[in-house]
Each structure stands twice: as structure tokens, then as C-alpha cells.
Amino acid sequence: MSGPAWNRINEPFSQLISAEEIANRTAELGKQITADYAQFTGNADVVVLGVLKGSILFMSDLVKHIALPVYLDFIAISSYGDATTSSGVVQITQDLTRSIEGKHIIVVEDIVDTGHTVDYLLKNLATRMPASIKLCSLLHKPERAEREVKIDYLGFTIPNKFVVGYGLDIAQQYRNLPFIGFVPNA
Ligand code: IMP
């Protein structure tokens, strides 16, 4: 029987952002979003749109702190490139389940790195005539920016390191770490 490929006792990562820091910042972002969208009290006026798979842990914690009626949806995209760098060629592999026309959209991302993925996604979503689109990203690596992206709600700015955990992966692994760690030499 083959066991798990890794376990937390032997995990090779250095912690960059603790679970507690993530929880505190996520609660603050949720409060800020609640205040900013307080006038939208209709059902499904506000759509919290998670970008799969990296945003799922962040999104599930964030929405608990948004004290408004929101509709949740997901979009899956794959970005071509090697394990640690996106090439800017992006494909939607699973689309939204409902129209977003006339809705207020909060896109939830795990990380804005070069900015190619989110730039493509925001442009694509804009063609669907939502009433507004804002971006909420857990992480931002400004040193790697190749596209200018406005992040309306940002968790943390991080240095130019490849990070994993709390939704972020390397080759689909380590998404379930409860903290953000960095991979030495990646
Ligand atoms: P971008 O197009 O370069 O901004 O990259 C965006 C996507 O690449 C993110 O949504 C992540 O899926 C992935 N990515 C970028 N940097 C990291 C990282 O440090 N760790 C894990 N995934 C990353």
C-alpha cells in the first residue's frame, strides 16, 4: 500500500504566513467587503466568484465574513507553463453556472503573480456585462508583475518566492497545508 507523498512532520517548507495571520486578514477583508457592498441586499446581486482550484480555501473562509446575501460561483482556468511560471496562455476549463449580466462580481484569486491569468479573466468576464467587477486576491508578488492589475482587496504582498499551501499548489500537491510556506530553491 502506498502512503501519502508527504506528511506535515517531514514537510520541507518554511512558513511565510501563519494560519492565524491568514485568518485575521481574511476576517478584515470580509468586513471591508461587507461595508463596501452593504447597499446590495437583493438575493444574488453580489456574486463571489472563486477561481479554481487555488482560491477554494481562501474563498470558503472569506465568505464566512461577508455578512450579506451572496451567490457563489466558480470558474476553472488553466494557465499553460511549467510548474512554477505561467506563460500567459490561459484557457477556461470550467465555466460559470449562471449569467453574471447586471451582477456585482467579486473575483477571488489565490495569487497575482505575473498578472497574465487575472488580466485575461477580468477581460473575459467584462464581456459578459456585469454591473461591476472587483478583484480580491490572497497574495500578490509585485516583483513578478508583467501586467498591471488592480487588486481591490489584497491579503498579503509577498516576496518573489514560489509559495504553497492554503490552496496553492506545486504540481497539485500541498494545497491542504493550513499555512503559506515557500519552497526553497523553486
Ligand atoms: P500569473 O498568471 O503569473 O499571475 O499566475 C497566476 C496563477 O499561477 C495563480 O493563480 C497560481 O495558480 C499560479 N501561481 C503563481 N505563483 C504561484 C506560487 O508562488 N505558488 C503557487 N501557484 C502560483
Side-chain angles (χ1 to χ4, degrees):
M1 207 170 73
S2 64
W6 60 281
N7 65 55
R8 286 183 189 151
I9 296 162
N10 298 322
E11 49 90 356
F13 307 114
S14 306
Q15 183 169 287
L16 188 64
I17 307 170
S18 70
E20 193 185 359
E21 288 173 292
I22 295 169
N24 291 340
R25 186 72 191 120
T26 303
E28 285 173 6
L29 291 173
K31 268 195 196 144
Q32 203 183 331
I33 291 170
T34 303
D36 291 353
Y37 286 79
Q39 74 268 37
F40 303 117
T41 52
N43 274 339
D45 280 348
V46 180
V47 181
V48 181
L49 198 168
V51 184
L52 295 173
K53 300 173 191 161
S55 74
I56 54 162
L57 277 76
F58 177 44
M59 172 143 160
S60 67
D61 287 335
L62 179 70
V63 293
K64 292 173 208 163
H65 296 283
I66 301 177
L68 293 169
V70 291
Y71 174 80
L72 309 185
D73 209 345
F74 294 94
I75 194 165
I77 51 185
S78 73
S79 228
Y80 291 94
D82 62 27
T84 60
T85 314
S86 94
S87 63
V89 181
V90 178
Q91 189 191 10
I92 293 178
T93 54
Q94 181 189 311
D95 211 339
L96 302 175
T97 58
R98 279 219 206 160
S99 163
I100 54 169
E101 192 173 339
K103 308 292 185 194
H104 297 277
I105 311 302
I106 303 168
V107 175
V108 180
E109 258 288 18
D110 53 355
I111 185 166
V112 177
D113 185 27
T114 63
H116 286 295
T117 306
V118 100
D119 182 64
Y120 170 87
L121 181 63
L122 294 179
K123 284 181 179 147
N124 179 295
L125 294 174
T127 66
R128 307 178 192 207
M129 314 300 258
S132 68
I133 307 186
K134 284 194 180 179
L135 175 64
C136 176
S137 182
L138 176 66
L139 304 175
H140 183 212
K141 252 190 245 178
E143 284 170 54
R144 298 249 308 159
E146 289 176 13
R147 292 285 166 97
E148 200 176 313
V149 173
K150 179 172 178 266
I151 304 174
D152 301 282
Y153 303 101
L154 174 64
F156 303 91
T157 297
I158 62 166
N160 186 9
K161 291 179 185 293
F162 196 83
V163 292
V164 293
Y166 199 65
L168 291 109
D169 74 304
I170 183 164
Q172 300 300 325
Q173 286 287 304
Y174 313 114
R175 292 192 197 274
N176 55 330
L177 285 176
F179 59 88
I180 307 271
F182 66 85
V183 186
N185 311 317

